[in-house]
Amino acid sequence: TPAAAPGSDFIDMGAPAQEEVVFATAEEKRMAALKEKYAKANEKKKVWDEVDQRWKNVEDDEKAVENSAPKAKIVGIKLDGPIDTTGKDAATVRAMQDRQREMQERQAAAKAELKAQANAKKAEEAAEMELRERLDGKLKAWSEEYGKKKNIRALLTGMDQIMWEGSGWKPVSMGDLLVNGAVKKKTMLAKMKTHPDRTSKLPHEARFIAKRVFDALNQAYDEYVEGGGQ
């Protein structure tokens, strides 16, 4: 029912009783409910405008006022250069200066951290190269013979010759590996000793050796299993 203008002779007699609508299908009923919900969601509060002599949306007036208000220009504190102190009191100026100084200190700390990380990476690469030149021959002699990869038994029996000092690895003889299931057991122990998760905090040289040993053990044991454990 449309609203009546204030002061008019219009008398609202109330809306007539609505007859129940019968829908042919459930889909028609669902669509009607959606339309009703959409209509209610779009209803706007209206007020009578005496000047225009019409109903107006309150929301439209509020938006008009909001759009007409001047928007302040927000300028952040610059990392470098002078601070604009125009119209600022002493306390605000000091706070701005402290903020700028804090930003500069953070930037300097971030640069120092990046430089330290770059230097550490270079040092790591140099150490890796030095270890490769010094240990590659020894590790290759342990894992290969005449250009052919050694089997898992040969690797296990020679591990004590290439493990790092303090590794705790005990020598394994060929006789130890003749017992049923001994190859698997000793291989699992060797892999646990050299696994990257267990050696991540060791010195660089120990980690270098452990990685090479772990990779060689994995490959040799896979071939052992594929060959039927022979």
Side-chain angles (χ1 to χ4, degrees):
T1 304
S8 67
D9 295 331
F10 177 81
I11 299 176
D12 187 357
M13 300 299 293
Q18 295 183 351
E19 297 181 359
E20 183 178 356
V21 179
V22 179
F23 298 98
T25 64
E27 180 63 17
E28 288 184 2
K29 184 176 181 180
R30 188 182 72 83
M31 292 301 297
L34 287 175
K35 288 180 180 179
E36 182 180 357
K37 183 177 180 181
Y38 179 78
K40 288 182 178 180
N42 285 276
E43 286 180 354
K44 297 179 180 179
K45 184 178 180 181
K46 297 178 180 292
V47 293
W48 178 257
D49 190 314
E50 291 289 351
V51 177
D52 290 346
Q53 288 294 296
R54 67 183 180 88
W55 292 97
K56 296 180 63 176
N57 295 328
V58 175
E59 182 182 342
D60 293 341
D61 287 344
E62 291 174 349
K63 286 184 177 180
V65 173
E66 181 183 346
N67 293 333
S68 63
K71 295 183 179 180
K73 185 179 180 181
I74 301 175
V75 180
I77 298 175
K78 295 181 180 180
L79 187 63
D80 300 312
I83 298 174
D84 183 8
T85 60
T86 306
K88 309 289 191 305
D89 57 33
T92 302
V93 171
R94 284 195 300 271
M96 294 174 70
Q97 291 171 339
D98 290 342
R99 177 58 178 155
Q100 185 185 56
R101 184 163 48 252
E102 179 185 352
M103 291 166 60
Q104 292 169 343
E105 290 172 354
R106 286 184 179 179
Q107 184 190 56
K111 287 182 177 179
E113 183 178 357
L114 288 174
K115 185 176 181 180
Q117 290 175 354
N119 290 338
K121 185 178 180 180
K122 287 182 180 179
E124 184 88 1
E125 291 173 349
E128 186 83 7
M129 184 176 296
E130 186 273 329
L131 289 171
R132 193 176 293 114
E133 292 175 353
R134 180 161 55 86
L135 299 175
D136 261 358
K138 184 178 180 180
L139 289 166
K140 190 173 183 179
W142 165 75
S143 62
E144 297 180 16
E145 188 171 22
Y146 304 115
K148 185 179 178 180
K149 299 289 184 182
K150 292 182 180 180
N151 62 38
I152 188 64
R153 289 188 176 90
L155 294 182
L156 291 171
T157 56
M159 266 186 63
D160 59 297
Q161 302 298 316
I162 47 89
M163 290 291 278
W164 62 93
E165 185 178 355
S167 68
W169 178 256
K170 297 179 180 180
V172 176
S173 69
M174 192 61 71
D176 296 331
L177 300 176
L178 296 178
V179 181
N180 187 32
V183 171
K184 179 179 180 180
K185 180 179 179 180
K186 292 296 183 181
T187 301
M188 295 302 105
L189 288 174
K191 289 170 68 174
M192 286 176 62
K193 184 71 69 173
T194 57
H195 195 283
D197 290 344
R198 292 175 174 265
T199 59
S200 60
K201 296 182 179 180
L202 294 178
H204 194 175
E205 181 170 334
R207 285 186 281 115
F208 180 86
I209 295 172
K211 183 180 184 306
R212 294 285 292 273
V213 173
F214 184 77
D215 291 343
L217 289 172
N218 274 327
Q219 183 177 348
Y221 188 73
D222 287 345
E223 293 177 356
Y224 170 79
V225 174
E226 290 173 2
Q230 301 298 323

Short mmCIF file of all heavy atoms in Angstrom, two decimals, residues 42-49 54-67:
data_model
loop_
_atom_site.label_atom_id
_atom_site.label_comp_id
_atom_site.label_asym_id
_atom_site.label_seq_id
_atom_site.Cartn_x
_atom_site.Cartn_y
_atom_site.Cartn_z
N ASN A 42 15.32 -4.99 -0.90
CA ASN A 42 15.53 -3.73 -1.61
C ASN A 42 14.60 -2.61 -1.16
O ASN A 42 14.57 -1.53 -1.76
CB ASN A 42 15.36 -3.95 -3.12
CG ASN A 42 16.56 -4.67 -3.72
OD1 ASN A 42 17.55 -4.06 -4.06
ND2 ASN A 42 16.46 -5.99 -3.84
N GLU A 43 13.77 -2.87 -0.14
CA GLU A 43 12.92 -1.81 0.37
C GLU A 43 13.77 -0.71 1.01
O GLU A 43 14.74 -1.00 1.69
CB GLU A 43 11.95 -2.38 1.41
CG GLU A 43 10.83 -3.21 0.80
CD GLU A 43 9.90 -3.75 1.87
OE1 GLU A 43 10.22 -3.55 3.06
OE2 GLU A 43 8.88 -4.36 1.52
N LYS A 44 13.40 0.52 0.81
CA LYS A 44 14.14 1.65 1.36
C LYS A 44 13.23 2.50 2.25
O LYS A 44 12.05 2.63 1.99
CB LYS A 44 14.71 2.52 0.24
CG LYS A 44 15.73 1.81 -0.64
CD LYS A 44 16.24 2.72 -1.73
CE LYS A 44 17.25 2.02 -2.60
NZ LYS A 44 17.75 2.90 -3.69
N LYS A 45 13.83 3.02 3.29
CA LYS A 45 13.08 3.90 4.17
C LYS A 45 12.81 5.21 3.45
O LYS A 45 13.72 5.81 2.86
CB LYS A 45 13.89 4.14 5.44
CG LYS A 45 13.16 4.97 6.48
CD LYS A 45 14.01 5.12 7.72
CE LYS A 45 13.27 5.97 8.76
NZ LYS A 45 14.08 6.16 9.98
N LYS A 46 11.56 5.66 3.48
CA LYS A 46 11.19 6.88 2.76
C LYS A 46 10.70 7.96 3.72
O LYS A 46 10.16 7.67 4.77
CB LYS A 46 10.09 6.57 1.74
CG LYS A 46 10.51 5.61 0.64
CD LYS A 46 9.36 5.31 -0.31
CE LYS A 46 9.77 4.34 -1.40
NZ LYS A 46 10.75 4.95 -2.33
N VAL A 47 10.94 9.20 3.35
CA VAL A 47 10.43 10.36 4.11
C VAL A 47 9.77 11.31 3.12
O VAL A 47 10.12 11.37 1.94
CB VAL A 47 11.58 11.09 4.86
CG1 VAL A 47 12.14 10.21 5.96
CG2 VAL A 47 12.67 11.53 3.89
N TRP A 48 8.77 12.10 3.63
CA TRP A 48 8.06 13.05 2.77
C TRP A 48 8.85 14.34 2.68
O TRP A 48 9.23 14.94 3.66
CB TRP A 48 6.67 13.32 3.32
CG TRP A 48 5.90 14.33 2.52
CD1 TRP A 48 5.67 15.63 2.83
CD2 TRP A 48 5.30 14.09 1.26
NE1 TRP A 48 4.95 16.23 1.84
CE2 TRP A 48 4.70 15.30 0.85
CE3 TRP A 48 5.19 12.97 0.42
CZ2 TRP A 48 4.02 15.43 -0.35
CZ3 TRP A 48 4.50 13.11 -0.77
CH2 TRP A 48 3.92 14.33 -1.15
N ASP A 49 9.16 14.75 1.44
CA ASP A 49 9.90 15.99 1.21
C ASP A 49 8.90 17.09 0.92
O ASP A 49 8.20 17.08 -0.11
CB ASP A 49 10.84 15.81 0.01
CG ASP A 49 11.82 16.97 -0.12
OD1 ASP A 49 11.37 18.13 -0.01
OD2 ASP A 49 13.02 16.72 -0.35
N ARG A 54 7.16 15.07 -2.54
CA ARG A 54 7.23 13.67 -2.97
C ARG A 54 7.98 12.86 -1.90
O ARG A 54 8.64 13.42 -1.05
CB ARG A 54 7.95 13.55 -4.32
CG ARG A 54 9.43 13.91 -4.28
CD ARG A 54 10.04 13.85 -5.68
NE ARG A 54 11.46 14.19 -5.67
CZ ARG A 54 12.45 13.32 -5.48
NH1 ARG A 54 12.16 12.04 -5.28
NH2 ARG A 54 13.70 13.71 -5.49
N TRP A 55 7.81 11.52 -1.99
CA TRP A 55 8.52 10.64 -1.09
C TRP A 55 9.95 10.44 -1.58
O TRP A 55 10.18 10.21 -2.77
CB TRP A 55 7.81 9.28 -0.99
CG TRP A 55 6.49 9.37 -0.30
CD1 TRP A 55 5.27 9.48 -0.89
CD2 TRP A 55 6.28 9.37 1.10
NE1 TRP A 55 4.27 9.56 0.05
CE2 TRP A 55 4.86 9.49 1.29
CE3 TRP A 55 7.10 9.31 2.22
CZ2 TRP A 55 4.29 9.54 2.55
CZ3 TRP A 55 6.52 9.34 3.48
CH2 TRP A 55 5.13 9.46 3.64
N LYS A 56 10.90 10.54 -0.67
CA LYS A 56 12.31 10.39 -1.03
C LYS A 56 12.96 9.31 -0.17
O LYS A 56 12.57 9.09 0.98
CB LYS A 56 13.05 11.71 -0.84
CG LYS A 56 12.57 12.83 -1.76
CD LYS A 56 13.36 14.12 -1.52
CE LYS A 56 14.82 13.97 -1.85
NZ LYS A 56 15.56 15.26 -1.69
N ASN A 57 13.94 8.69 -0.74
CA ASN A 57 14.70 7.68 -0.01
C ASN A 57 15.67 8.35 0.95
O ASN A 57 16.45 9.23 0.56
CB ASN A 57 15.49 6.78 -0.95
CG ASN A 57 14.58 5.95 -1.84
OD1 ASN A 57 13.49 5.58 -1.43
ND2 ASN A 57 15.03 5.67 -3.06
N VAL A 58 15.66 7.95 2.21
CA VAL A 58 16.59 8.51 3.21
C VAL A 58 18.03 8.18 2.81
O VAL A 58 18.94 8.98 2.96
CB VAL A 58 16.28 7.94 4.60
CG1 VAL A 58 17.32 8.40 5.62
CG2 VAL A 58 14.88 8.35 5.04
N GLU A 59 18.21 6.98 2.28
CA GLU A 59 19.54 6.53 1.89
C GLU A 59 20.15 7.45 0.84
O GLU A 59 21.34 7.77 0.87
CB GLU A 59 19.47 5.10 1.34
CG GLU A 59 20.83 4.51 0.96
CD GLU A 59 20.69 3.11 0.39
OE1 GLU A 59 19.64 2.48 0.60
OE2 GLU A 59 21.64 2.65 -0.25
N ASP A 60 19.32 7.93 -0.11
CA ASP A 60 19.82 8.82 -1.15
C ASP A 60 20.33 10.12 -0.55
O ASP A 60 21.35 10.66 -0.97
CB ASP A 60 18.71 9.11 -2.17
CG ASP A 60 18.33 7.86 -2.96
OD1 ASP A 60 19.16 6.92 -2.97
OD2 ASP A 60 17.24 7.85 -3.55
N ASP A 61 19.59 10.68 0.44
CA ASP A 61 20.02 11.92 1.08
C ASP A 61 21.33 11.73 1.85
O ASP A 61 22.22 12.58 1.81
CB ASP A 61 18.94 12.42 2.04
CG ASP A 61 17.73 13.00 1.30
OD1 ASP A 61 17.88 13.27 0.09
OD2 ASP A 61 16.67 13.16 1.93
N GLU A 62 21.44 10.58 2.53
CA GLU A 62 22.66 10.33 3.29
C GLU A 62 23.87 10.21 2.38
O GLU A 62 24.95 10.71 2.67
CB GLU A 62 22.48 9.05 4.11
CG GLU A 62 21.48 9.21 5.25
CD GLU A 62 21.23 7.89 5.95
OE1 GLU A 62 21.67 6.84 5.40
OE2 GLU A 62 20.61 7.90 7.03
N LYS A 63 23.70 9.54 1.23
CA LYS A 63 24.79 9.42 0.28
C LYS A 63 25.18 10.76 -0.31
O LYS A 63 26.35 11.05 -0.55
CB LYS A 63 24.39 8.46 -0.84
CG LYS A 63 24.39 7.01 -0.41
CD LYS A 63 24.10 6.10 -1.58
CE LYS A 63 24.18 4.63 -1.17
NZ LYS A 63 23.90 3.73 -2.30
N ALA A 64 24.17 11.61 -0.56
CA ALA A 64 24.45 12.93 -1.12
C ALA A 64 25.30 13.75 -0.17
O ALA A 64 26.23 14.44 -0.57
CB ALA A 64 23.13 13.64 -1.44
N VAL A 65 24.97 13.69 1.13
CA VAL A 65 25.74 14.43 2.13
C VAL A 65 27.16 13.88 2.22
O VAL A 65 28.14 14.60 2.29
CB VAL A 65 25.05 14.34 3.51
CG1 VAL A 65 25.94 14.95 4.59
CG2 VAL A 65 23.71 15.05 3.46
N GLU A 66 27.26 12.55 2.18
CA GLU A 66 28.58 11.91 2.28
C GLU A 66 29.46 12.28 1.10
O GLU A 66 30.65 12.57 1.25
CB GLU A 66 28.39 10.39 2.34
CG GLU A 66 29.71 9.63 2.46
CD GLU A 66 29.48 8.14 2.45
OE1 GLU A 66 28.32 7.71 2.62
OE2 GLU A 66 30.46 7.40 2.27
N ASN A 67 28.89 12.28 -0.10
CA ASN A 67 29.67 12.57 -1.30
C ASN A 67 30.08 14.04 -1.38
O ASN A 67 31.07 14.39 -2.01
CB ASN A 67 28.88 12.19 -2.55
CG ASN A 67 28.69 10.69 -2.66
OD1 ASN A 67 29.49 9.93 -2.14
ND2 ASN A 67 27.62 10.27 -3.33
#
